[in-house]
Amino acid sequence: MDLSTSYLGISLPHPLVPGASPLADDLDTVKQLEDAGAAAIVLRSLFEEQITREQEATQIHLESHDDSFAEAVSYFPSPESFVLGPEEYLNHLRRVKQSVRIPVIASLNGMTPGGWLSYAHLIEQAGADALELNVYHAATDLETSGTEVERQTIAMLREVKRGLKIPVAAKLFPFFTAFAHFALQLDAAGADGLVLFNRFYDVDIDIKELDVLRTLHLSDSSELPLRLRGIAALAGRVKASLAVTGGVHTAVDVVKSTMAGAHVTQMVSALLKNGPGYLRKVRADLEAWMEENEWSSLNEMRGNMSQERVPNPNVYGRANYMLMLQSWERV
Ligand SMILES: Cc1cc2nc3c(=O)[nH]c(=O)nc-3n(C[C@H](O)[C@H](O)[C@H](O)COP(=O)(O)O)c2cc1C
């Protein structure tokens, strides 16, 4: 059974990759994931705010004793809220690289172009095989247009890519007005991969305490279809390789993602719920499913359900929408 794939120009034995999360915080867990057959591993993110804060603090310390900086950053989580500070991140990356043989993908997370992105070079020097650039932009600013959000994201990618040798994947939200067009621009700007989609972490309101509540729910497979649609729209149309993140829990989810056109399926919630060894089960289930359904390789099914290859590409658009609404029957 041939499960091999290529992602960001890196050959992988299969597409199962633990995604960015606390899973790679602990070296023992990282080794367990490698033993369970992880094809590569993505580290948690280092955030723009962490790097900028450190860079600005150094600058201000050198130049003045200005209080305005302290005021400006007081709404951000304190440095102690982060599991890894910027320097610790690099050290952790070096340690992970030393302990496993699988490719290690680091992650930078931010929303504006700027000096903080130079950290990509330190990440490269620390030994990362690739970089994921997570662009988490809530876009709630009344003055910032969709075009501007796209422009900033493309500028970030260009800035990261400048002089960097390792490949870069952009991890995106689904909420761009014309997502496929925007993805094509990222492709043209040199994205080696696109990771679809960031989850939008909901906030709720505590009506008694008048506070905003944070709850991190793990996903289930019902989150996958949104990703399938995004991947299916791009497969065969962009040079960048494609990764699914969000809702991959079973071998069937991997098959669907591959049929949509994904090169890699990242898993986080499934591994946090079931432990690193669950990867082994998903891989065994995948092989069993392929055997039963007479597929000898993932490559032959990759993209066979993409928008470009289905007989009626409109099934991903208004045709399905209209039929779906008409199909409702009162029970
Ligand atoms: C506890 C936790 C921490 C996460 N940390 C990061 C992170 O640091 N950077 C990032 O890009 N994504 C992060 N994610 C998002 C995951 O990489 C992934 O995109 C998301 O959980 C959807 O995949 P899933 O359905 O397999 O969980 C985190 C997710 C969880 C549950």
Side-chain angles (χ1 to χ4, degrees), residues 71-128:
E71 199 181 305
V73 297
S74 61
Y75 289 113
F76 285 113
S78 67
E80 300 77 52
S81 324
F82 294 93
V83 173
L84 295 169
E87 195 57 44
E88 288 168 312
Y89 193 90
L90 298 177
N91 290 334
H92 182 63
L93 168 58
R94 284 188 202 100
R95 278 196 294 271
V96 173
K97 270 302 287 178
Q98 279 159 13
S99 22
V100 290
R101 285 187 303 276
I102 51 176
V104 177
I105 303 173
S107 167
L108 281 176
N109 192 316
M111 56 178 238
T112 48
W116 73 279
L117 287 165
S118 63
Y119 228 81
H121 291 275
L122 299 179
I123 281 175
E124 179 176 81
Q125 284 158 24

Side-chain angles (χ1 to χ4, degrees), residues 174-232:
F175 305 127
F176 288 94
T177 322
F179 173 74
H181 175 259
F182 173 55
L184 199 67
Q185 291 179 66
L186 286 171
D187 195 47
D192 301 282
L194 298 170
V195 185
L196 312 188
F197 284 121
N198 247 325
R199 283 174 95 205
F200 198 71
Y201 293 99
D202 286 321
V203 289
D204 203 351
I205 292 179
D206 184 328
I207 55 173
K208 286 240 170 92
E209 297 296 325
L210 297 186
D211 200 0
V212 171
L213 297 172
R214 281 186 306 273
T215 357
L216 204 168
H217 299 289
L218 296 180
S219 74
D220 57 41
S221 296
S222 68
E223 294 195 19
L224 186 65
L226 179 70
R227 279 76 188 176
L228 297 179
R229 181 191 287 268
I231 297 281

Side-chain angles (χ1 to χ4, degrees), residues 123-183:
I123 281 175
E124 179 176 81
Q125 284 158 24
D129 296 283
L131 179 68
E132 216 171 76
L133 180 64
N134 184 335
V135 190
Y136 191 103
H137 198 313
T140 51
D141 178 7
L142 294 174
E143 305 296 325
T144 310
S145 68
T147 312
E148 178 58 16
V149 173
E150 293 185 6
R151 192 198 63 73
Q152 284 185 14
T153 306
I154 292 164
M156 279 170 69
L157 178 74
R158 288 223 164 93
E159 209 160 313
V160 167
K161 287 282 296 178
R162 200 174 303 132
L164 204 73
K165 291 182 208 70
I166 54 172
V168 179
K171 183 169 177 178
L172 302 170
F173 265 133
F175 305 127
F176 288 94
T177 322
F179 173 74
H181 175 259
F182 173 55

Side-chain angles (χ1 to χ4, degrees), residues 5-69:
T5 184
S6 170
Y7 179 58
L8 308 176
I10 306 169
S11 297
L12 301 176
H14 60 79
L16 307 178
V17 172
S21 71
L23 282 162
D25 287 353
D26 168 57
L27 288 185
D28 282 343
T29 315
V30 171
K31 282 192 203 132
Q32 284 172 32
L33 286 164
E34 184 182 43
D35 290 347
I41 189 158
V42 190
L43 302 192
R44 68 160 62 241
S45 299
L46 181 61
F47 294 87
E48 169 180 355
E49 291 80 354
Q50 290 180 273
I51 299 170
T52 309
R53 187 178 191 136
E54 196 168 272
Q55 288 173 342
E56 288 179 357
T58 313
Q59 197 66 17
I60 282 166
H61 185 71
L62 290 175
E63 286 174 3
S64 72
H65 296 284
D66 187 355
D67 282 347
S68 61
F69 172 67

